[in-house]
């Protein structure tokens, strides 16, 4: 058997831990697809708390989303407010 390898870091109190500066996070909301019909339906349904939407989360200059793809995890990124296949609506 080989020797066990352990690495221990000095314990720090929460006040001593240097945190990175906060980064803004934005949620970009899209109407699903690119047809005008979905956009019109969403305008009617949204005040009722419903609709067909896609969203992406922007952090550090990239927008991250999930899509149903045959390969990989489905998580992908794009330029903010430019998700291909959907119509940008607003950001919060």
């Amino acid at each position: 058997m080989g020797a066990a390898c352990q690495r221990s870091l000095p314990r720090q109190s929460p006040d001593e831990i240097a945190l990175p500066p906060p980064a803004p996070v934005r949620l970009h909301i899209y109407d699903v697809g690119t047809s005008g019909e979905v956009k019109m339906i969403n305008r009617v349904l949204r005040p009722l708390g419903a609709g067909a939407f896609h969203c992406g989360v922007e952090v550090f200059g990239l927008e991250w989303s999930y899509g149903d793809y045959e390969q990989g995890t489905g998580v992908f990124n794009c330029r903010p407010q430019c998700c291909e296949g959907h119509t940008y609506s607003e950001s919060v």
Side-chain angles (χ1 to χ4, degrees):
M1 289 194 183
C5 178
Q6 291 185 348
R7 182 184 347 194
S8 60
L9 299 173
R11 291 193 167 242
Q12 295 177 319
S13 73
D15 295 335
E16 297 174 324
I17 298 173
L19 298 175
V25 176
R26 301 185 82 186
L27 178 69
H28 300 296
I29 302 168
Y30 298 82
D31 296 311
V32 169
T34 57
S35 74
E37 290 87 6
V38 173
K39 187 174 186 173
M40 189 173 12
I41 290 169
N42 282 347
R43 282 188 181 166
V44 173
L45 294 177
R46 188 161 189 187
L48 304 172
F53 301 99
H54 172 80
C55 67
V57 177
E58 178 186 348
V59 63
F60 298 116
L62 287 175
E63 181 177 322
W64 296 88
S65 297
Y66 173 80
D68 187 17
Y69 294 101
E70 291 183 22
Q71 294 182 352
T73 63
V75 176
F76 64 95
N77 66 53
C78 63
R79 290 188 357 249
Q81 303 176 2
C82 296
C83 188
E84 188 176 329
H86 302 293
T87 305
Y88 174 76
S89 179
E90 68 175 305
S91 299
V92 292

